[in-house]
Amino acid sequence: LVARTLAEGGYDDFIMIEPETAQEVLTDERRRILRELREHDHDSVRALARQLERDKGAVSRDLTVLAGHDLVEFEERGRGKAPRLKHSTVIAEPIV
């Protein structure tokens, strides 16, 4: 019902995740990554880490978690990979 309502309201590119998953996966730093990817394109994980002023390894680990939950994907760029949002909207399922 929620998915259909969203689609009818023009939200055709979204992902719904369970509240428990959202709480576990969407840490403050990972939300920061998602916001940055929504606002800017980055050619590499290193460029994203530089923009966030974070360690590349930590950003890479966070991106791996986000990709594992279908929130980000990677675009091949030569030897590197550019992180991209996979969906324009992330919604935590309502608690029934």
Side-chain angles (χ1 to χ4, degrees), residues 26-56:
L26 298 177
T27 64
D28 289 343
E29 287 300 325
R30 291 179 189 147
R31 287 175 194 249
R32 202 169 146 225
I33 288 171
L34 294 174
R35 282 191 300 271
E36 180 64 27
L37 292 176
R38 182 180 59 221
E39 296 172 11
H40 305 284
D41 285 338
H42 294 281
D43 290 337
S44 65
V45 174
R46 184 177 307 282
L48 174 61
R50 239 187 336 263
Q51 179 64 34
L52 295 171
E53 298 181 343
R54 292 186 60 206
D55 175 72
K56 179 189 172 282

Side-chain angles (χ1 to χ4, degrees), residues 14-84:
F14 64 89
I15 184 170
M16 290 189 69
I17 58 178
E18 295 179 359
E20 297 81 16
T21 302
Q23 187 173 16
E24 176 186 329
V25 172
L26 298 177
T27 64
D28 289 343
E29 287 300 325
R30 291 179 189 147
R31 287 175 194 249
R32 202 169 146 225
I33 288 171
L34 294 174
R35 282 191 300 271
E36 180 64 27
L37 292 176
R38 182 180 59 221
E39 296 172 11
H40 305 284
D41 285 338
H42 294 281
D43 290 337
S44 65
V45 174
R46 184 177 307 282
L48 174 61
R50 239 187 336 263
Q51 179 64 34
L52 295 171
E53 298 181 343
R54 292 186 60 206
D55 175 72
K56 179 189 172 282
V59 171
S60 182
R61 285 187 295 276
D62 281 342
L63 287 168
T64 298
V65 171
L66 293 169
H69 288 276
D70 205 30
L71 300 173
V72 299
E73 59 190 354
F74 298 95
E75 180 181 304
E76 295 298 323
R77 292 274 175 107
R79 294 185 332 176
K81 53 186 180 179
R84 299 284 183 252

